[in-house]
Amino acid sequence: MGLRYYSEHRTYSCDAPLLWRVEIHDSTAAPDNDGAEFFIEAESCEIEWRGEGDDVAAPILSSSCQFTMMMRDGDDEELINDLAGAKEGRFTVVIYRDSVFHWAGVINSPEISFEDVDFPYPFQITAVDGLALLKNYPHSQDTHRWSDVYEGQSNLITVIARSLKKLPHIVTHFEGIDKFIVTAINWYSDLHNEPVTDVYDPLFYTYVDNRIFAQGQASGVAKFVNCYDAISEVLRAFNARISLQDGYFLVEQLEHRAENIGTDANFSRYYDYDLTEPLANTLDDV
């Protein structure tokens, strides 16, 4: 994976100006490629979040990023041709805010459209965070045989992380990141330790048998739950949702912001990419 294009611009609508950097990465480009600069149409870069259907409490809140790239010449226009013929996952978008990783997604090539006009002309690019694409990935180790069921038991945060890592762009752009998943889950069982602390995450200390994600068949082929549904079922049990926010995946109970964060056992924790252990986190009380 290498850098194909990049663009930088500032926004001034906040208390202080923010520097935004938008990068387009290409899996066929050399890793040490410096990329070519491109220009974004003013105020065209937006990130939007949307749940599935009309459910305001949908457990998965997917996001997409849209921006308008100004096509200046034939070199820029080659990107359109490459996008049109690219396999899913070849092109990804990474966004930095004041040099800090903010968002990453995969370009949704089927939505390509442009006008047949002279240079320069605008070309809209759309990328998605990939959460909705998890419907295409079975929650299994490899194929569809019963032997590919994950062995034994796994804690709930592993079920979530394992599903996210099915997406190639997650592995590419999130591996090694300090804050991969942030949780704000504060429902506990009588079997959990007391007193609850700011590093005792119920998602880390609650386990499930991995066989619940598959149904065996006489042919030896297993029918696996897809990763989207696996995450959804975990989150529904806690009345929670997941979304990509500020460079990490936020798993948050819907009631979390209604209480004073950090008090009365209302805590937030975070995990690195390897899920080493839950660490105390701070979320804005807004």
Side-chain angles (χ1 to χ4, degrees):
M1 182 72 72
L3 181 63
R4 178 82 175 262
Y5 285 96
Y6 70 91
S7 178
E8 294 184 349
H9 66 281
R10 294 185 182 274
T11 56
Y12 298 89
S13 58
C14 303
D15 294 336
L18 295 174
L19 175 63
W20 298 89
R21 179 180 171 93
V22 179
E23 297 181 348
I24 299 176
H25 291 253
D26 183 350
S27 63
T28 67
D32 58 351
N33 191 38
D34 293 331
E37 186 174 12
F38 74 95
F39 296 95
I40 288 181
E41 189 175 63
E43 300 181 0
S44 72
C45 187
E46 295 182 345
I47 299 176
E48 297 180 344
W49 288 263
R50 179 174 299 179
E52 186 175 40
D54 298 325
D55 185 4
V56 296
I60 294 183
L61 195 62
S62 301
S63 63
S64 62
C65 174
Q66 292 184 343
F67 58 90
T68 301
M69 177 178 177
M70 298 305 298
M71 292 292 168
R72 301 162 296 177
D73 51 35
D75 290 339
D76 286 350
E77 207 168 46
E78 285 184 7
L79 177 63
I80 299 178
N81 297 326
D82 289 345
L83 286 171
K87 295 181 179 180
E88 181 181 297
R90 174 181 169 181
F91 290 96
T92 57
V93 171
V94 180
I95 298 177
Y96 296 88
R97 182 179 64 185
D98 283 342
S99 301
V100 177
F101 177 68
H102 183 71
W103 191 90
V106 60
I107 292 180
N108 199 348
S109 298
E111 295 186 8
I112 290 175
S113 63
F114 66 97
E115 298 181 30
D116 186 12
V117 295
D118 292 334
F119 298 116
Y121 64 87
F123 173 65
Q124 188 176 78
I125 294 177
T126 301
V128 296
D129 62 16
L131 288 176
L133 299 177
L134 290 172
K135 295 178 180 180
N136 301 326
Y137 294 87
H139 191 81
S140 65
Q141 295 190 60
D142 189 14
T143 61
H144 290 276
R145 300 193 63 82
W146 183 253
S147 59
D148 289 310
V149 174
Y150 290 103
E151 296 180 1
Q153 297 180 332
S154 297
N155 60 19
L156 298 181
I157 195 65
T158 295
V159 173
I160 295 173
R162 177 191 291 152
S163 298
L164 294 175
K165 293 176 183 180
K166 294 287 187 179
L167 299 168
H169 76 278
I170 297 298
V171 177
T172 298
H173 298 301
F174 287 80
E175 186 174 12
I177 199 168
D178 290 334
K179 279 190 180 182
F180 177 46
I181 299 176
V182 171
T183 66
I185 302 295
N186 291 285
W187 287 0
Y188 305 91
S189 163
D190 291 339
L191 300 178
H192 287 135
N193 286 351
E194 291 188 12
V196 174
T197 69
D198 57 0
V199 294
Y200 193 92
D201 189 352
L203 296 182
F204 190 81
Y205 293 101
T206 303
Y207 286 76
V208 295
D209 190 317
N210 286 305
R211 289 175 294 181
I212 68 171
F213 299 115
Q215 295 179 347
Q217 301 181 21
S219 63
V221 176
K223 182 179 180 181
F224 289 95
V225 172
N226 65 57
C227 289
Y228 185 97
D229 289 341
I231 291 179
S232 295
E233 290 306 310
V234 170
L235 298 185
R236 285 194 183 99
F238 291 90
N239 193 32
R241 70 162 36 138
I242 186 171
S243 60
L244 179 55
Q245 306 274 350
D246 295 325
Y248 53 75
F249 286 95
L250 174 62
V251 178
E252 183 176 30
Q253 285 182 300
L254 300 180
E255 65 188 37
H256 181 66
R257 304 301 177 101
E259 305 294 335
N260 291 325
I261 296 174
T263 61
D264 299 325
N266 191 28
F267 298 114
S268 173
R269 298 95 174 179
Y270 75 91
Y271 298 85
D272 60 18
Y273 185 82
D274 295 324
L275 302 186
T276 306
E277 61 180 348
L279 299 173
N281 184 66
T282 300
L283 286 174
D284 293 334
D285 192 4
V286 294

